[in-house]
Amino acid sequence: MSRLILDEPGKEILFMGNEAIARGALEAGVRVAAAYPGNPSSEIIGNLAQVAEKMGIYVEWSVNEKVAAEVAAAAAVSNMNALVAMKQNGLNVACDFLLNLNLTGIRGGLVVIVADDPSGISSSNEQDSRSFAKLADIPLLEPSGFQEAKEMVRHAFELSRMTGNFVMIRSVTRISHARGNVILGKLPTDFPSPHFDTSRPLCPLPTSVTHPALHKRLQTAEEILGDSEFNEYWGSEIPETLIITCGSGWFFSKEAVDILGLRPRVGVLKVGTTWPLPRAFLINHLQKTKKVILFEEVDPVLENNVTELYAQHNLDLPRIEFVGKNSGVVPSTGELSPDLVLGVLGKVTGVVPKIDENYANLAKDAIENYAPQRAMAFCAGCPHRASLWAIKQALALDGRDGVLFGDIGCYALGIFPTGFSQLKTVHAMGSGAGMACGFGSLRQFGINQPSLAVCGDSTFFHAVIPVLVNAVHQNSKFLLVVLDNNATAMTGFQPHPGSPIDAMGNATNPIVIEDLCVSLGLETRVMDPFDLKGTISTVCEMIKDQTKPKALVLRRECALVSGRKGTLKYQVRIDPQKCIGEECGCDRLCTRVFKCPGLIWDRSAKKARIDDVICTGCGVCADICPSHAIVKEGV
């Protein structure tokens, strides 16, 4: 049985942060959960899906974040508890609906989990989603650890029901993807009866009524959260310097204070209820200090709100120096780290941290000599590498400087050398197709460059279908290339509408991408990208005469999925007689340009070599070697 549904209150379990969030939802009696996969939030729904049948809940991977929010909201307006999860980029997709839902309110409980990604570890940006709570006039909670993450989710459902509005929880990568001990609570057995009260329609109009009502619900939340246990103080009673922090900054700050021996001089105040602010709690501690340092990830959201509060009450407070992102002392971007907090605190207090020079030198030596430098690259045997190689060759043969627009997915790496730098733009989900559609409408201005876009199969359903409808209606001249690897590969192989199963493992009717394209009237073809010659020829043919929108589906299973099946298509080897290394006119095409990790440049032999541990046996490299020195043999 999954640890997630152990009904043993008091038992301590090691959970990933996203597991703790999922457990908190179960303890709160969640009945419906939905999301579109996006790291660092993906494991929340993934874990709930695995226990859905046993817990009697409904879980789905929705086609995008807006639909996920709407699915969850349908349950929440029917007196049920529901959860929707997303990464920070997904909030932008969902916010059109959420900024109307806040005005109508809900009748059950709805918690919106947004997992931010400071430093953009697995994201195209490091957007700070917390400003959304202030914009939407909704409560915002920020966990600082794993136990608190579980407790906050459970409490957020209670708060949602008490205020009649949804509650937002902001996690970050170091909370969602790290692990810590969590004490289990009781799983509920009684649930409110689901029912939609048709006598009370939900409509944000007139705003002259719903907007003031929204403010009243936020005021109720502020009163409830005023003495919340999620706001905590640690350290000197009368601190010379007060640290105000939230999220991961809480543990970093306490650790830095202890390392520098500053506990008699410094206090640390953690704000767990970030919006609305715990005003009385903050003012009480601001009265006791003359210097404040603010640590948070990413933007100065807490800093701006605290200084705004200070400005409103400055006549009753001492003169305070605020140090943070706005003063330039704390970096204005990126995630926090223990070293960063230690350095800033030492600089502000004048206490220099003691460094063990021997240990520092050992660590430096280990990094320089034992940690190999690795560039971001496609996996060995990734079909995206073959697809982009084929597009590169086709554009070169065409000779009109064609433009390939891209977007978010594994294939976004195509903007780097691993994808031969073929992508010329990377923005939001589906924006490559949208921009190609726009570029394909510029012929009247004299542009003759072919317009192409790539998108993944999951992205196709998420955001590209409206672009195709627009392209057909506007008769935009561009080629959409769907890189169909049969999975939402970048986030953990979650199913999408083209998959034969849903999130809970139930069989479903997959939607066939090429059938949908044909139904819209697009000239559509399907190719295997490992057939390099055929794919190059097809791309050349489809962009030669761009008189209407077209679609090309390049279908090949993700190499990681194939690898799990343990079957090799080819045994690949180097013919040492034919590989003459740098003496060949190819200038090491296979290891210098094609760069599959399964290919190694043997410095001693001065020849290419196959890494049998990594090679997936796709055999594509044999087709790009001009000397036929790479040999593929059927297994």
Side-chain angles (χ1 to χ4, degrees):
M1 183 172 70
S2 169
R3 301 176 308 155
L4 201 65
I5 55 175
L6 283 176
D7 196 11
E8 300 180 32
K11 188 177 180 65
E12 196 165 339
I13 301 285
L14 179 66
F15 274 151
M16 176 193 279
N18 281 343
E19 290 177 305
I21 290 170
R23 172 70 189 199
L26 291 171
E27 291 184 8
V30 70
R31 308 303 289 155
V32 172
Y36 179 82
N39 289 329
S41 70
S42 301
E43 295 84 4
I44 299 170
I45 294 300
N47 277 285
L48 289 173
Q50 291 176 12
V51 301
E53 184 177 356
K54 288 188 176 180
M55 296 301 292
I57 61 177
Y58 175 76
V59 182
E60 75 167 42
W61 287 117
S62 305
V63 71
N64 63 36
E65 294 84 355
K66 179 173 179 284
V67 174
E70 291 159 347
V71 166
V77 298
S78 304
N79 200 31
M80 304 170 76
N81 278 357
L83 177 146
V84 59
M86 60 196 73
K87 68 183 299 177
Q88 77 277 5
N89 307 69
L91 180 62
N92 303 332
V93 180
C95 75
D96 188 16
F97 171 67
L98 293 176
L99 286 175
N100 285 280
L101 182 68
N102 61 342
L103 290 169
T104 68
I106 56 174
R107 293 155 186 168
L110 177 60
V111 175
V112 178
I113 309 284
V114 183
D116 284 358
D117 190 15
S119 291
I121 297 168
S122 57
S123 307
S124 60
N125 67 27
E126 59 169 3
Q127 170 186 314
D128 192 325
S129 62
R130 293 176 297 170
S131 297
F132 177 80
K134 195 170 184 178
L135 172 70
D137 289 320
I138 57 163
L140 169 65
L141 309 180
E142 281 191 80
S144 296
F146 314 101
Q147 182 73 40
E148 192 171 68
K150 180 185 81 86
E151 301 302 335
M152 270 191 179
V153 172
R154 189 175 55 77
H155 180 75
F157 276 105
E158 296 171 1
L159 182 64
S160 177
R161 281 188 170 272
M162 287 190 283
T163 60
N165 213 342
F166 65 90
V167 175
M168 176 176 166
I169 290 183
R170 184 225 196 189
S171 181
V172 292
T173 305
R174 302 302 175 188
I175 297 293
S176 284
H177 282 173
R179 294 177 185 274
N181 287 350
V182 174
I183 299 173
L184 303 183
K186 185 173 176 55
L187 292 172
T189 54
D190 295 326
F191 304 96
S193 298
H195 178 71
F196 189 104
D197 183 356
T198 56
S199 69
R200 297 163 54 206
L202 296 168
C203 177
L205 299 174
T207 55
S208 59
V209 174
T210 57
H211 202 175
L214 172 61
H215 286 175
K216 189 174 181 179
R217 289 195 289 272
L218 186 65
Q219 185 179 351
T220 301
E222 183 174 358
E223 293 167 359
I224 295 171
L225 295 172
D227 58 352
S228 171
E229 63 184 13
F230 299 127
N231 302 315
E232 191 175 343
Y233 181 78
W234 175 90
S236 171
E237 283 297 318
I238 308 295
E240 175 187 310
T241 299
L242 173 65
I243 295 174
I244 299 180
T245 187
C246 57
S248 59
W250 169 239
F251 288 112
F252 296 161
S253 298
K254 291 203 299 182
E255 184 178 355
V257 169
D258 274 344
I259 289 174
L260 296 175
L262 289 171
R263 200 182 290 200
R265 295 170 52 191
V266 175
V268 184
L269 188 154
K270 183 196 70 171
V271 180
T273 62
T274 318
W275 189 255
L277 284 178
R279 293 167 179 262
F281 177 69
L282 280 163
I283 289 172
N284 178 48
H285 287 280
L286 288 174
Q287 287 172 335
K288 302 173 184 176
T289 191
K290 294 182 179 179
K291 182 175 289 184
V292 170
I293 309 175
L294 292 113
F295 289 117
E296 59 188 313
E297 303 173 310
V298 173
D299 292 331
V301 175
L302 179 62
E303 181 176 340
N304 289 343
N305 289 337
V306 168
T307 52
E308 181 181 297
L309 177 69
Y310 176 75
Q312 293 167 351
H313 298 271
N314 67 323
L315 296 179
D316 303 320
L317 293 170
R319 183 172 180 176
I320 297 176
E321 177 188 2
F322 289 91
V323 177
K325 293 174 182 289
N326 289 328
S327 63
V329 177
V330 178
S332 61
T333 61
E335 64 176 352
L336 295 175
S337 69
D339 285 347
L340 185 153
V341 174
L342 188 69
V344 171
L345 183 59
K347 182 178 180 181
V348 172
T349 61
V351 179
V352 179
K354 296 178 181 176
I355 298 175
D356 184 334
E357 293 293 341
N358 289 333
Y359 182 83
N361 289 333
L362 283 172
K364 183 180 178 183
D365 179 66
I367 293 171
E368 290 179 351
N369 295 303
Y370 299 105
Q373 295 290 323
R374 289 176 177 161
M376 288 192 289
F378 291 126
C379 304
C382 176
H384 296 340
R385 179 182 290 102
S387 297
L388 290 167
W389 181 268
I391 292 172
K392 169 185 166 69
Q393 303 306 320
L395 291 179
L397 289 169
D398 178 81
R400 289 178 293 163
D401 196 20
V403 183
L404 181 62
F405 296 87
D407 56 38
I408 304 301
C410 294
Y411 50 94
L413 294 177
I415 202 164
F416 300 120
T418 188
F420 322 112
S421 304
Q422 287 304 291
L423 267 62
K424 304 307 176 188
T425 67
V426 173
H427 296 97
M429 297 275 288
S431 62
M435 292 184 72
C437 176
F439 193 72
S441 300
L442 302 181
R443 297 292 174 87
Q444 63 176 303
F445 301 105
I447 288 180
N448 190 37
Q449 295 167 274
S451 179
L452 302 86
V454 289
C455 75
D457 41 342
S458 189
T459 302
F460 176 84
F461 295 109
H462 179 285
V464 171
I465 294 173
V467 177
L468 294 184
V469 173
N470 187 69
V472 171
H473 185 65
Q474 308 298 338
N475 194 30
S476 173
K477 288 81 175 173
F478 86 102
L479 172 62
L480 172 70
V481 182
V482 184
L483 307 178
D484 183 1
N485 60 5
N486 198 30
T488 315
M490 191 175 184
T491 52
F493 307 102
Q494 296 84 0
H496 57 58
S499 306
I501 58 171
D502 63 18
M504 297 181 288
N506 301 314
T508 185
N509 294 321
I511 297 171
V512 180
I513 293 174
E514 54 267 33
D515 288 354
L516 196 56
C517 293
V518 170
S519 74
L520 290 171
L522 273 74
E523 176 189 330
T524 305
R525 302 190 195 182
V526 181
M527 293 293 297
D528 179 352
F530 284 2
D531 174 7
L532 281 181
K533 187 176 179 181
T535 302
I536 293 169
S537 174
T538 300
V539 174
C540 282
E541 189 178 332
M542 295 187 83
I543 63 174
K544 182 179 179 181
D545 181 22
Q546 285 194 314
T547 57
K548 57 184 179 180
K550 303 175 183 177
L552 171 62
V553 181
L554 295 181
R555 179 166 292 134
R556 168 60 70 166
E557 189 175 59
C558 172
L560 294 178
V561 175
S562 302
R564 289 174 182 174
K565 296 176 181 175
T567 54
L568 289 178
K569 186 177 181 182
Y570 297 108
Q571 188 70 46
V572 183
R573 63 179 176 83
I574 303 292
D575 183 338
Q577 303 302 317
K578 292 184 178 178
C579 180
I580 54 176
E582 292 177 335
E583 300 301 319
C584 177
C586 74
D587 196 17
R588 291 174 47 204
L589 179 71
C590 60
T591 55
R592 191 182 60 82
V593 179
F594 193 66
K595 284 187 173 179
C596 176
L599 287 162
I600 300 171
W601 176 246
D602 189 329
R603 294 178 183 274
S604 57
K606 296 187 177 181
K607 295 177 185 294
R609 181 163 62 83
I610 301 296
D611 187 333
D612 293 325
V613 175
I614 297 177
C615 177
T616 63
C618 71
V620 175
C621 57
D623 295 333
I624 63 103
C625 177
S627 299
H628 306 293
I630 304 176
V631 181
K632 60 180 182 182
E633 298 166 337
V635 177

